[in-house]
Amino acid sequence: MKQITVNGEPRDVAEGTTLAQLVEALGQAPQALATAVNGEFIARDARATVHLAEGDAVFTFQPITGG
């Protein structure tokens, strides 16, 4: 297990967990969230390639759209 934070809250994840798997585990629609790891925006189609590491800080937020 590795400990990370998600929106400032500590969370344990299994070795090899990807950002996509974490978003799925959060129970929110992946297309409705924007994500960042350690302050770096991660595009939705790149989430499956980002393996979470000990101490990573993950932030999820709803993107703002408008005109």
Side-chain angles (χ1 to χ4, degrees):
M1 294 296 255
K2 295 181 178 186
Q3 187 167 55
I4 63 170
T5 59
V6 179
N7 298 325
E9 298 292 325
R11 185 180 181 106
D12 291 326
V13 294
E15 185 85 22
T17 298
T18 65
L19 181 58
Q21 291 169 322
L22 175 66
V23 169
E24 184 178 324
L26 294 175
Q28 299 183 20
Q31 65 275 17
L33 289 179
T35 54
V37 176
N38 300 325
E40 183 175 332
F41 173 76
I42 306 295
R44 189 179 325 144
D45 59 354
R47 292 176 187 164
T49 65
V50 176
H51 290 83
L52 298 172
E54 180 78 25
D56 277 349
V58 177
F59 290 93
T60 63
F61 49 96
Q62 293 191 344
I64 297 171
T65 59

